Amino acid sequence: AEISRPGRLSATGASRTLEVFVPDGAAAQLIQMRSADLIARLNEFLGPRAVSRISILQSGGQTSTSVADGVRKSQKPQGLAGFRRGAS
């Protein structure tokens, strides 16, 4: 959470992809390395098959606190309720 910010949850058929914004390549590698565990934890919390893959987007060196500010308004997370709505 300190090195990344969630983006939107999008669905294509039965596959759901969570966008994750990171400030740099090191953070991207860390998220990539832990992606299987993150997906398992998200699905445990949100329900089976809520997230099937993670898409890692680098934010061009912004600090982790300003990553979400760089996201277009339509992509900003609307809290947990919005995230759950997108996962169903």
Side-chain angles (χ1 to χ4, degrees):
E2 291 182 18
I3 64 164
S4 65
R5 293 287 181 249
R8 67 180 170 175
L9 181 63
S10 59
T12 305
S15 175
R16 291 189 172 82
T17 302
L18 175 65
E19 291 179 347
V20 176
F21 292 90
V22 296
D24 54 39
Q29 288 179 340
L30 182 62
I31 297 295
Q32 180 65 38
M33 183 177 68
R34 296 184 178 172
S35 63
D37 181 51
L38 291 170
I39 291 170
R41 290 175 61 193
L42 286 165
N43 287 334
E44 184 177 307
F45 183 75
L46 297 170
R49 297 182 307 272
V51 176
S52 55
R53 114 186 199 12
I54 293 177
S55 175
I56 302 167
L57 304 168
Q58 291 187 39
S59 62
Q62 295 176 351
T63 62
S64 61
T65 56
S66 64
V67 170
D69 296 336
V71 179
R72 283 183 267 127
K73 188 172 184 126
S74 63
Q75 292 181 331
K76 277 197 174 181
Q78 301 300 314
L80 188 56
F83 185 80
R84 286 184 174 161
R85 263 193 315 275
S88 58

